[in-house]
Amino acid sequence: MAFQTKSNKPIAEPLHFHTVHGDQIRLSDNNSRATRDRLNNTLLFTNRPILANEIVELYIEELSTEFYGLIRIGLTTIDPGSFTQQTLPKTMPASDNRDWFVPSPRSPPNIMKNKTIYLKYTTEGDILIDYDGTGFIKYLTVPPITKDIWCALDLNGVVAQIRLTQSEVNVLANSVDRARARYLQYTNNRKKENASIYYSGELAPGFVTMSDCDENSEISENIAVKKKSTAAIVINEMLKRSMCIVLQIIDMDHTLSTYLTIRCLTEGRTSNEHTKLIDNTFDYVTLGDEIGLRVLPDGCITFSCDNRHVKPLFNIDLTVNDNPAVQQTSYNLEFIMNGRVTGLRLVGIYRPTEAEARTLPPAIGGGCQATVIHRICPYGLSGLLLPCKHLCVCYECGKALIDRHSCPNIKCRKPVKGCIKVYKD
């Protein structure tokens, strides 16, 4: 049965205070309430990165009659889990830097008991706060945020006890429920999506193979939700030139550092050469982003997130399938949810036309395409390929193959890393 939700609120996992905090802070059993014992060393963080436009609600439960000063609220791109008691700052920075964004009120806000302070940020870099329930005010604008970002607050002032609440989001603790709810939200405007060249509709059985995914994920909804760290989906359609596969991230575990692993299976076999771990050094991805995998004419498979930062993953040798007389080699993409990505939706596949699939890369060298198709260079054999040491091309073709193609020998197909010119007596 499909998960039903009528709420248009953002869907999020439970939000509470991080277990890393200043030593003058006491947390309740469920980490939703923070109480300050004394001043100084009173930093607090959310347990996970907050989402763009997600509203953080801080309900003031107790005020101190002995101390004065405002509660300081801001954002940080530093994972609180990376701090130790020795490295944890005793207070928030006095000014903004590349890791901390700390808005300063234009005038002292009216801080009262049993009132709620609201904070949110936008992808454009606006940080907005509502101190007294009269509405959000933009207190700071920073460059567009393309990193994970945690809410941070310093309980070093008049506020002595505060509680994190979530009334402006649809809180779902179960990853399958979150994935299905987001699926319904993201596909609410199906008319536009149905018109996309990538949309494939409901998938036929056998089109996708899921392993170690939650049994409640339904293939009719094109959803896969992680059950184990080895959870994976395989697209059972052979890769062709100009093909494009689009997936959407519908759930994440923010406690992990990497995102997922993408690899290409050759005749069902894996290799390090065709495996790429996606982490934040490669690209930044977040909930709702669409991942696009495109096969270029030369066999290079590229990765992009929401059509930005197109980057190469690895190369496959599609030339082996250019000769119809030769048995076709199957290449299939596998997505392993061994990191932060715990839920994926297959949006669809662009299937190239026959002409697009047969569009060969530009000819390189003197007779590259003839070499590929006939496995012998029409310009003679003068290039010894390295490291395989096969002599099947001319020297000019051999140089053009370096770091771009595999050995034309059908029994070899090793990547070409060098070429030595040989002479015949």
Side-chain angles (χ1 to χ4, degrees):
M1 180 183 296
F3 182 90
Q4 298 295 324
T5 179
K6 296 182 179 180
S7 174
N8 290 320
K9 294 180 179 180
I11 298 160
E13 58 192 286
L15 187 70
H16 47 78
F17 290 118
H18 203 287
T19 54
V20 173
H21 54 77
D23 60 14
Q24 299 303 316
I25 293 293
R26 286 182 291 113
L27 297 182
S28 60
D29 291 341
N30 60 1
N31 294 342
S32 64
R33 177 182 289 108
T35 304
R36 184 194 70 218
D37 289 330
R38 293 188 298 272
L39 292 182
N40 298 322
N41 211 355
T42 53
L43 271 183
L44 285 161
F45 306 91
T46 52
N47 64 304
R48 60 168 174 81
I50 61 173
L51 310 176
N53 296 305
E54 178 182 3
I55 298 176
V56 179
E57 304 171 49
L58 301 165
Y59 182 76
I60 300 172
E61 293 189 327
E62 295 292 342
L63 297 177
S64 171
T65 58
E66 301 177 1
F67 304 103
Y68 299 92
L70 294 176
I71 179 174
R72 301 185 67 206
I73 307 172
L75 301 173
T76 180
T77 58
I78 302 175
D79 183 351
S82 65
F83 288 124
T84 65
Q85 286 300 324
Q86 290 72 36
T87 61
L88 180 67
K90 294 186 181 299
T91 185
M92 296 175 72
S95 59
D96 302 323
N97 57 49
R98 64 180 183 177
D99 297 322
W100 293 84
F101 310 112
V102 187
S104 298
R106 297 184 181 92
S107 59
N110 186 19
I111 302 296
M112 299 176 62
K113 184 178 177 179
N114 299 330
K115 293 290 185 178
T116 301
I117 301 173
Y118 302 91
L119 175 143
K120 69 176 180 178
Y121 79 93
T122 68
T123 54
E124 291 78 18
D126 294 333
I127 300 176
L128 304 98
I129 302 177
D130 177 3
Y131 281 102
D132 50 17
T134 58
F136 281 105
I137 297 175
K138 183 168 65 175
Y139 281 91
L140 185 64
T141 298
V142 298
I145 297 171
T146 57
K147 294 182 179 180
D148 289 329
I149 196 157
W150 287 258
C151 180
L153 59 150
D154 194 344
L155 214 59
N156 195 15
V158 67
V159 178
Q161 184 170 291
I162 201 162
R163 179 162 53 92
L164 259 177
T165 60
Q166 287 179 285
S167 64
E168 299 298 323
V169 296
N170 186 7
V171 181
L172 298 172
N174 183 276
S175 59
V176 175
D177 289 345
R178 287 196 303 271
R180 289 184 174 180
R182 290 190 181 111
Y183 163 79
L184 292 177
Q185 279 195 346
Y186 295 154
T187 59
N188 188 40
N189 186 7
R190 295 299 290 271
K191 185 175 181 181
K192 180 179 179 181
E193 187 174 74
N194 290 353
S196 169
I197 61 173
Y198 303 114
Y199 180 64
S200 300
E202 293 184 355
L203 302 179
F207 182 80
V208 173
T209 298
M210 297 184 185
S211 59
D212 294 330
C213 293
D214 193 280
E215 292 85 353
N216 294 317
S217 302
E218 299 180 15
I219 189 62
S220 62
E221 294 177 345
N222 308 356
I223 292 175
V225 181
K226 176 179 178 177
K227 183 178 181 180
K228 300 179 181 178
S229 59
T230 51
I233 61 173
V234 177
I235 311 298
N236 296 323
E237 185 158 331
M238 284 178 53
L239 296 180
K240 299 178 181 179
R241 291 188 179 94
S242 303
M243 179 183 284
C244 187
I245 299 173
V246 181
L247 300 99
Q248 186 177 38
I249 299 172
I250 54 176
D251 198 54
M252 300 184 84
D253 176 1
H254 295 283
T255 63
L256 302 175
S257 57
T258 61
Y259 295 119
L260 77 164
T261 297
I262 301 174
R263 64 187 180 189
C264 182
L265 307 180
T266 305
E267 297 291 343
R269 300 186 301 272
T270 64
S271 68
N272 292 333
E273 178 189 1
H274 293 152
T275 301
K276 183 67 177 181
L277 176 67
I278 308 299
D279 58 17
N280 56 15
T281 63
F282 186 78
D283 204 348
Y284 172 75
V285 299
T286 189
L287 282 169
D289 282 353
E290 290 189 353
I291 296 174
L293 284 298
R294 188 180 298 274
V295 184
L296 301 184
D298 63 357
C300 177
I301 298 179
T302 63
F303 171 97
S304 65
C305 183
D306 280 0
N307 287 322
R308 65 175 187 265
H309 303 152
V310 179
K311 298 180 179 180
L313 291 178
F314 35 69
N315 283 71
I316 58 175
D317 185 11
L318 289 173
T319 59
V320 70
N321 293 335
D322 289 335
N323 187 351
V326 177
Q327 182 178 353
Q328 302 289 285
T329 299
S330 67
Y331 295 104
N332 303 93
L333 283 180
E334 181 181 33
F335 302 84
I336 307 170
M337 292 182 281
N338 57 349
R340 186 173 289 191
V341 174
T342 57
L344 285 171
R345 176 176 80 97
L346 180 59
V347 176
I349 291 180
Y350 174 70
R351 295 178 173 89
T353 64
E354 187 66 25
E356 288 174 326
R358 290 292 177 184
T359 300
L360 299 176
I364 54 176
C368 175
Q369 295 309 318
T371 301
V372 167
I373 296 173
H374 303 294
R375 299 193 297 280
I376 186 168
C377 184
Y379 292 92
L381 306 180
S382 58
L384 185 69
L385 301 180
L386 300 175
C388 63
K389 298 182 180 179
H390 282 126
L391 186 62
C392 53
V393 294
C394 70
Y395 179 60
E396 295 302 318
C397 283
K399 289 194 299 181
L401 292 173
I402 295 174
D403 292 328
R404 296 183 63 185
H405 288 276
S406 302
C407 173
N409 188 313
I410 196 170
K411 295 181 179 180
C412 177
R413 296 300 186 187
K414 291 183 179 179
V416 177
K417 298 298 182 183
C419 183
I420 299 175
K421 188 168 186 176
V422 298
Y423 299 89
K424 294 184 180 180
D425 294 336

